[in-house]
Structure formats: structure tokens, C-alpha cells
Amino acid sequence: LSSSGRVDLYIYNVLGQEVFSMTEPILLAGFYTRLWDITDRSGRRVPSGIYIYRFSFTDLSGANTILTQKMVLIE
């Protein structure tokens, strides 16, 4: 992160259903790593397949950056 701010991460299946989300209200500028344990919100393992993640960053001035990408989960 180039500056401090709020981070939201969402993971969706190909049907558009949210399977995972994470919010960090305030992170300081720097490098971070988060691992997804490949479980859904109920704690069940999700199957191999294509997922879409959406990373949203809002800095303290209110500027918002959103990155959306596909990923393949192979188990």
C-alpha cells in the first residue's frame, strides 16, 4: 500500500456468490500478505475452480482504488 487506508477483499464464485470477505479498517502504508484458507464464510472448503477476487483500497483522503481479477483454485 502506498499510503494508509481501509482494505476490503472479496472472493466470489463464478455464479457471483460471495464466498469470502475480509476487511481491515486501517492499514498503514507498506507490504502485506494475507492467505485464504480456501473456506467459505461457513468454514466449508470450497471446490477447485475459477474464482474472482475484488480488492478495494480507500486511502484516508477518500480516494478509492479497486482491482478485480480472476484466479484459478487447483487443489
Side-chain angles (χ1 to χ4, degrees):
L1 303 175
S2 60
S3 61
S4 300
R6 175 190 173 107
V7 171
D8 295 294
L9 175 67
Y10 300 95
I11 299 176
Y12 302 94
N13 62 21
V14 292
L15 300 175
Q17 299 164 324
E18 183 182 306
V19 295
F20 176 82
S21 65
M22 176 206 77
T23 297
E24 293 288 344
I26 296 290
L27 287 178
L28 301 176
F31 292 92
Y32 295 89
T33 301
R34 292 292 190 260
L35 297 177
W36 175 38
D37 63 1
I38 63 170
T39 60
D40 63 16
R41 292 180 299 178
S42 300
R44 295 179 303 237
R45 269 179 107 73
V46 299
S48 296
I50 297 173
Y51 291 86
I52 296 140
Y53 68 86
R54 183 175 148 230
F55 173 84
S56 174
F57 173 70
T58 306
D59 68 20
L60 298 179
S61 72
N64 194 24
T65 302
I66 296 174
L67 172 66
T68 303
Q69 296 285 319
K70 275 194 278 186
M71 65 179 171
V72 177
L73 172 64
I74 301 172
E75 204 175 359

